[in-house]
């Protein structure tokens, strides 16, 4: 069944949603690292379809459960078990924001911890980013001889080309201060404050005029 968010919240697999008026909160809650397998990706796709299709919803907020990880990206245990990149990740691709199908409403990422690989790429699929001061980004695919394909397109559009190439070619970590300095994130907030900040910001957007 397709995910239906209601006042008080709803859950499909490892994806939890809740309405806050015109704002849809979407939480990947998959301990320990909020990694994303095909089933989780499809559930995220359904959450974004709900945001797209419900006329009473105007803004989405995405975050990770727990305190350490926003998302560790693709679930390598699922990959080792035979789930390949040709698996059904949903119509909008990995996490639903890689190639969102007709989603013209803003999404804010509340980056509450490490965002690695596909988790970083998922954050890049959001329109606005709030990052906690202890959170970090990395694209470690290069260490395994793999190109972070979505990041290769999105990242140079957000920060200077040479900085994007450095991240993708070395797999190094970028902390919150550096992310803010390059304009990759809009706001850096104390630990534990990203979701509340993002929800308040989303409400401001939802209260504004719409075309």
């Amino acid at each position: 069944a397709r995910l239906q968010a209601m006042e008080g919240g709803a859950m499909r697999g490892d994806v939890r949603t809740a309405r806050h008026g015109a704002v849809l909160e979407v939480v990947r809650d998959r301990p320990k690292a909020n990694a994303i397998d095909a089933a989780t990706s499809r559930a995220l796709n359904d959450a974004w379809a709900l945001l797209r299709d419900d006329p009473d919803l105007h803004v989405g907020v995405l975050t990770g459960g727990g305190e350490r990880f926003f998302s560790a990206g693709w679930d390598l245990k699922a990959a080792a078990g035979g789930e390949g990149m040709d698996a059904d990740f949903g119509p909008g691709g990995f996490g639903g924001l890689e190639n969102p199908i007709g989603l013209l409403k803003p999404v804010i990422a509340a980056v509450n911890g490490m965002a690695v690989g596909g988790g970083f790429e998922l954050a890049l699929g959001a329109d606005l980013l709030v990052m906690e001061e202890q959170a970090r980004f990395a694209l470690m695919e290069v260490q395994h001889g793999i190109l972070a394909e979505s990041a290769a397109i999105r990242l140079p559009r957000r920060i200077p080309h040479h900085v994007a190439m450095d991240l993708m070619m070395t797999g190094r970590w970028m902390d919150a201060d550096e992310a803010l300095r390059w304009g990759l994130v809009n706001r850096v907030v104390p630990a534990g404050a990203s979701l509340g900040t993002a929800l308040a910001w989303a409400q401001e957007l939802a209260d504004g005029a719409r075309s």
Side-chain angles (χ1 to χ4, degrees):
R2 292 184 63 80
L3 179 148
Q4 295 293 319
M6 300 173 289
E7 297 289 347
M11 192 89 181
R12 178 184 170 183
D14 302 304
V15 176
R16 185 172 73 250
T17 65
R19 287 180 186 263
H20 305 275
V23 176
L24 181 67
E25 175 187 341
V26 181
V27 183
R28 256 175 351 281
D29 196 358
R30 195 163 186 255
K32 301 178 179 177
N34 294 320
I36 301 171
D37 61 3
T40 302
S41 182
R42 291 193 298 270
L44 285 166
N45 269 268
D46 281 352
W48 304 130
L50 176 63
L51 173 63
R52 178 194 64 201
D53 296 339
D54 190 324
D56 294 327
L57 291 170
H58 304 306
V59 185
V61 171
L62 172 67
T63 194
E67 300 177 352
R68 189 178 179 197
F69 281 93
F70 173 77
S71 175
W74 189 24
D75 187 338
L76 298 181
K77 289 185 178 179
E83 183 177 279
M85 287 305 296
D86 58 349
D88 178 11
F89 287 94
F94 184 83
L97 293 180
E98 184 175 8
N99 184 30
I101 305 300
L103 179 58
L104 302 179
K105 300 175 183 179
V107 174
I108 303 173
V111 183
N112 59 311
M114 289 183 281
V116 185
F120 187 8
E121 292 179 299
L122 187 59
L124 290 172
D127 301 288
L128 303 167
L129 285 84
V130 176
M131 186 177 187
E132 295 186 11
E133 58 191 3
Q134 84 288 353
R136 297 187 293 167
F137 292 131
L139 294 166
M140 296 182 174
E141 290 90 337
V142 67
Q143 298 174 3
H144 304 282
I146 302 171
L147 175 67
E149 295 181 4
S150 180
I153 297 171
R154 294 182 183 272
L155 195 55
R157 295 176 178 173
R158 291 188 176 239
I159 61 176
H161 180 85
H162 66 285
V163 180
M165 292 303 105
D166 176 26
L167 287 172
M168 288 188 289
M169 292 180 180
T170 65
R172 71 172 179 86
W173 289 98
M174 173 182 276
D175 64 21
D177 287 342
E178 184 182 3
L180 184 64
R181 184 169 72 249
W182 292 119
L184 179 57
V185 300
N186 301 86
R187 303 177 184 180
V188 172
V189 298
S194 62
L195 180 57
T197 301
L199 288 172
W201 196 7
Q203 190 59 59
E204 289 182 33
L205 299 181
D207 289 342
R210 291 176 294 279
S211 59

